[in-house]
Amino acid sequence: MARKVALVGVGMQKFEFCKTETIEEMIFDVARNALEDARLSKEDIDAVVSGSAVDAFCGIVNSDKVATDGTGGFLKPTMRNSTSGSTAVSTPILGYNHIASGLYDIVMVVCYEKMSENPSAQAVFNTVYDEAYVRPIGLNVPIQCGLEARAYLHRYGLTERQMAKVSVKNRGNAISNPYAQLPMKLTVDDVMASPYLSWPVKLLDTSPVTDGARAVILASEDVARELTDSPVWIRGVGRGADSVWFMGRSNSNLGRLDYAYLAARQAYEMAGIKDPGVEIDYAEVYDPFTFKEMQHCEALGLCPEGGAGKMIDEGVSCKDGALPVNASGGLQGEGNPIGAGMSRLTWCYLQIQGKAGDCQVSKDVSTAVCNAWGGMYQYNAVMVIGRD
Amino acid sequence: MSKKKPEMTISGQIQVDYQWSVGKAGERFFAELRDHKRIMGARCRTCGRVMVPPRIFCEECFVDTIDWVEVEPKGTLVTFGDCYFSTDGKRLDEPWILGIVRLDGSDGGLIHFIKETKAEDLRIGMPMEIVFNDDRKGHILDISHFRPVKESK
């Protein structure tokens, strides 16, 4: 029987295009912030879990080695996790496993990415594709997203303007986020007028290249109840993976994320959530591209399948809407340091605690969900957290 | 948005050469492509699914009992993407196009260039065919590109 696990602290820092700090210095900053937030010291931490998606960005092979000291991992059990972009949520799930299993009571989870140390994030991304069948063709991130976005819009009859509204919402929300890299006050027409990368994806449908880190501290039930009167529990976790052979999948429409529906179903079953559209108060949804927020809202059951266009049209996911999504600004507004997309989880926690500052939504938030996506249209990781 | 750079940095590069195996299934696929302009798939004897690209096992049934079958050099456009940037990041005036084509006689498909057409003339679900290169080396670029099937009257 899994033990209950709570979030007891988060460590934030500003997301920026190019930080002067090293990865070790960035990590030390968020780890110390998390310890302060949880009113704990390094000695209280039993084990450390770190996560980053792509070492080639920072050019430090096995970058987990430089995460050791900054996370407080000195002479402690440490472990690094990497599942491409979904590292952002699969890493705190790994931290959860450490405590739910009964192995440890207090675990530091740190996710980081320093993308600026390579002048071309695209050149790094180009190295992730299959060597025999894909890379010689020159597939790149813009077309990769164009292939998927076109299949998605086609399947469900959605539009570029609906995608643009997600960009306006998220970059606008980021204006209230002191840690955000790319707050912008935009109109739908601004987004529509930005240059195409690959139809229907335009420059303002994307997220920036970012340096940043995030930390969360997880604790067992006994410890959490000692530390706080209002623990925030991890109520459900889920993950799913599809075949790497995206062009050869028998379900190869690319418009429907079977693996994300699977991850969400696991997390909701564990949390006892039957109708997420009603029972989830707040969501931080992985939005490296506008259409990814839409696909993920559907897979997470925040709207019906194919209903993400209506959701944004009706303002449901806006900050003052019935089910706010990415009031922090999401990856598009706050920045997208791939693994440190764990920021999605930290903002769910801050919203539940009522500590989200100017990003705080007006409605009461007791249950929130976040997710992350990665691989060759391949992985999703989902976490549901909430108050008693 | 500030794009200040750190005052002190160390420059360097990591350059590593590789030779990647194409694998047991890949050797058969690329040899048939080179020698006979054939596209080979692997049929799972358990579920009957024909995998393209071919593999030595079916990930759904998790068995390695497969039969090699020839599939059609034509099929249906699953999705496509145009791009105004070269893969090394240069802005282009005319987009280039990639597409995924589900090949007839298979449950899978290939991703490749689409040429001899414009993006605005393409639609998901339309019939496409493979154009082979005359000079073939046992490589995915032995296929030149996909193009729309010309309607015969």
Side-chain angles (χ1 to χ4, degrees):
Chain A
M1 182 64 189
R3 297 201 301 168
K4 282 182 80 168
V5 179
L7 287 98
V8 296
V10 297
M12 312 294 283
Q13 73 181 191
K14 187 162 169 55
F15 282 177
E16 296 172 276
F17 169 70
C18 181
K19 281 187 175 292
T20 55
E21 293 88 348
T22 62
I23 285 177
E24 184 180 54
E25 292 167 342
M26 286 162 51
I27 288 174
F28 173 67
D29 181 41
V30 292
R32 194 179 49 179
N33 289 345
L35 288 169
E36 271 176 26
D37 188 42
R39 295 183 304 278
L40 291 170
S41 69
K42 169 177 158 290
E43 285 65 38
D44 297 316
I45 302 295
D46 296 326
V48 171
V49 173
S50 67
S52 113
V54 184
D55 278 348
F57 285 128
C58 65
I60 302 171
V61 177
N62 298 347
S63 67
D64 45 284
K65 63 186 185 263
V66 298
T68 300
D69 294 8
T71 52
F74 175 68
L75 292 179
K76 290 196 172 144
T78 68
M79 181 182 279
R80 184 255 184 97
N81 173 62
S82 188
T83 60
S84 310
S86 72
T87 301
V89 172
S90 67
T91 308
I93 290 176
L94 180 59
Y96 165 87
N97 294 347
H98 273 54
I99 296 172
S101 63
L103 266 179
Y104 302 104
D105 282 322
I106 305 182
V107 172
M108 169 75 77
V109 181
V110 175
C111 284
Y112 60 92
E113 213 81 52
K114 193 165 190 201
M115 301 175 71
S116 70
E117 288 187 329
N118 181 291
S120 173
Q122 295 309 320
V124 172
F125 277 123
N126 292 345
T127 66
V128 307
Y129 300 113
D130 170 76
E131 304 80 23
Y133 292 89
V134 182
R135 199 185 303 166
I137 312 298
L139 183 63
N140 55 28
V141 170
I143 304 191
Q144 189 190 337
C145 292
L147 291 169
E148 187 184 35
R150 185 187 296 271
Y152 172 61
L153 298 193
H154 177 82
R155 181 179 178 120
Y156 298 108
L158 303 170
T159 68
E160 290 179 79
R161 290 191 77 82
Q162 289 166 331
M163 286 170 50
K165 288 178 186 176
V166 174
S167 175
V168 172
K169 168 176 76 72
N170 291 0
R171 286 181 167 82
N173 285 346
I175 293 169
S176 306
N177 178 350
Y179 309 112
Q181 175 188 358
L182 207 57
M184 292 173 88
K185 191 167 164 47
L186 293 173
T187 66
V188 169
D189 288 338
D190 292 333
V191 182
M192 294 296 287
S194 67
Y196 278 105
L197 302 184
S198 176
W199 191 96
V201 180
K202 291 171 281 293
L203 185 62
L204 288 172
D205 287 304
T206 69
S207 50
V209 168
T210 306
D211 290 351
R214 288 286 183 265
V216 301
I217 298 175
L218 307 180
S220 62
E221 180 172 14
D222 291 350
V223 172
R225 292 204 188 278
E226 278 175 31
L227 288 172
T228 173
D229 295 330
S230 56
V232 175
W233 304 105
I234 295 176
R235 291 184 48 197
V237 298
R239 286 172 294 139
D242 207 331
S243 167
V244 66
W245 298 96
F246 62 94
M247 67 294 218
R249 289 177 196 164
S250 40
N251 59 343
S252 73
N253 178 282
L254 293 186
R256 188 182 192 277
L257 317 182
D258 293 352
Y259 54 95
Y261 285 85
L262 167 68
R265 193 167 66 237
Q266 290 169 49
Y268 289 143
E269 275 179 14
M270 189 172 154
I273 287 173
K274 293 189 174 55
D275 187 352
V278 173
E279 295 174 68
I280 296 291
D281 302 311
Y282 179 79
E284 285 277 335
V285 172
Y286 206 69
D287 64 324
F289 302 90
T290 50
F291 73 97
K292 294 308 296 181
E293 174 173 314
M294 297 169 73
Q295 287 182 308
H296 288 151
C297 283
E298 295 176 16
L300 293 169
L302 307 179
C303 64
E305 184 173 347
K310 188 160 177 267
M311 186 185 194
I312 188 74
D313 282 342
E314 294 178 350
V316 174
S317 53
C318 291
K319 191 174 173 184
D320 57 356
L323 207 176
V325 174
N326 292 334
S328 65
L331 302 172
Q332 290 178 56
E334 190 185 47
N336 185 9
I338 316 291
M342 188 172 72
S343 192
R344 308 280 66 72
L345 174 62
T346 63
W347 282 105
C348 286
Y349 172 84
L350 292 169
Q351 289 284 351
I352 291 170
Q353 292 277 37
K355 293 178 180 170
D358 291 341
C359 290
Q360 189 70 42
V361 299
S362 50
K363 68 183 285 193
D364 184 56
V365 179
S366 67
T367 305
V369 67
C370 62
N371 83 311
W373 163 79
M376 286 311 305
Y377 315 107
Q378 204 175 357
Y379 306 132
N380 232 272
V382 175
M383 185 176 277
V384 179
I385 65 174
R387 284 198 297 253
D388 274 321
Chain B
M1 188 173 64
S2 80
K3 289 196 175 185
K4 64 177 176 7
K5 280 279 181 187
E7 288 191 1
M8 296 181 71
T9 59
I10 299 157
S11 295
Q13 60 182 169
I14 299 174
Q15 208 162 23
V16 187
D17 295 328
Y18 295 90
Q19 263 189 311
W20 291 292
S21 301
V22 298
K24 291 180 182 175
E27 285 188 16
R28 176 81 185 258
F29 178 87
F30 289 112
E32 294 274 1
L33 174 61
R34 177 190 61 206
D35 300 339
H36 306 291
K37 294 200 283 192
R38 284 188 198 131
I39 303 296
M40 299 301 291
R43 179 190 281 121
C44 171
R45 283 188 205 160
T46 303
C47 68
R49 160 179 178 246
V50 175
M51 294 174 283
V52 177
R55 333 244 305 270
I56 59 165
F57 69 99
C58 169
E59 82 274 14
E60 295 186 20
C61 304
F62 219 60
V63 295
D64 62 357
T65 43
I66 59 121
D67 294 312
W68 285 91
V69 293
E70 184 179 353
V71 308
E72 298 289 329
K74 60 186 177 60
T76 307
L77 187 57
V78 174
T79 186
F80 59 98
D82 52 355
C83 189
Y84 289 84
F85 289 91
S86 65
T87 292
D88 58 6
K90 293 189 182 67
R91 179 91 199 165
L92 305 171
D93 292 333
E94 285 296 315
W96 57 296
I97 310 171
L98 293 186
I100 298 174
V101 173
R102 173 74 61 96
L103 295 175
D104 293 345
S106 87
D107 299 284
L110 295 172
I111 182 168
H112 220 291
F113 305 115
I114 294 178
K115 295 180 182 173
E116 302 184 48
T117 184
K118 289 185 170 159
E120 50 267 36
D121 295 326
L122 293 169
R123 59 183 196 285
I124 288 173
M126 74 189 291
M128 304 290 289
E129 64 187 7
I130 289 175
V131 177
F132 295 94
N133 273 319
D134 291 334
D135 179 24
R136 293 185 304 279
K137 300 183 171 72
H139 191 273
I140 194 64
L141 296 179
D142 289 355
I143 294 172
S144 167
H145 57 276
F146 292 119
R147 69 182 173 201
V149 174
K150 295 199 174 67
E151 288 184 27
S152 55
K153 299 236 166 141

